[in-house]
Amino acid sequence: KAYADTRIRVDLHVVFFSTLVNTTARFGVLFDGTTDNAQCQLPAPLANTYMQCSGTTIVAWAAAGNITLTARWLRLAGLGTLTVDTFTWFSMTAEEVI
């Protein structure tokens, strides 16, 4: 991040499926290993059916300098395994904005 008075916009997009019914997933971004920002949450009512989840976060508190962003997921409910394959993706972009 080049300037102290700018913000970071993070876009997260994921296509996934669950191996079992009624599994809820949350996707987000970890900032510098300390702060989690949830970006989207989605129940997967069917097994082995592709689901899409997207979200945007704008972070104003980050200081200037290098920032490490890590895309993360969490199974909130259910017993299914959240899965990606060759027909799915988990992508994240980040840009400094005014």
Side-chain angles (χ1 to χ4, degrees), residues 87-98:
F87 302 106
T88 61
W89 69 88
F90 198 141
S91 68
M92 177 178 64
T93 60
E95 65 181 322
E96 189 169 5
V97 297
I98 295 175

Side-chain angles (χ1 to χ4, degrees), residues 6 14 28-29 40 43 58 65 79 83 89 93 95:
T6 59
V14 61
V29 178
C40 62
I58 296 183
L79 299 174
T83 305
W89 69 88
T93 60
E95 65 181 322

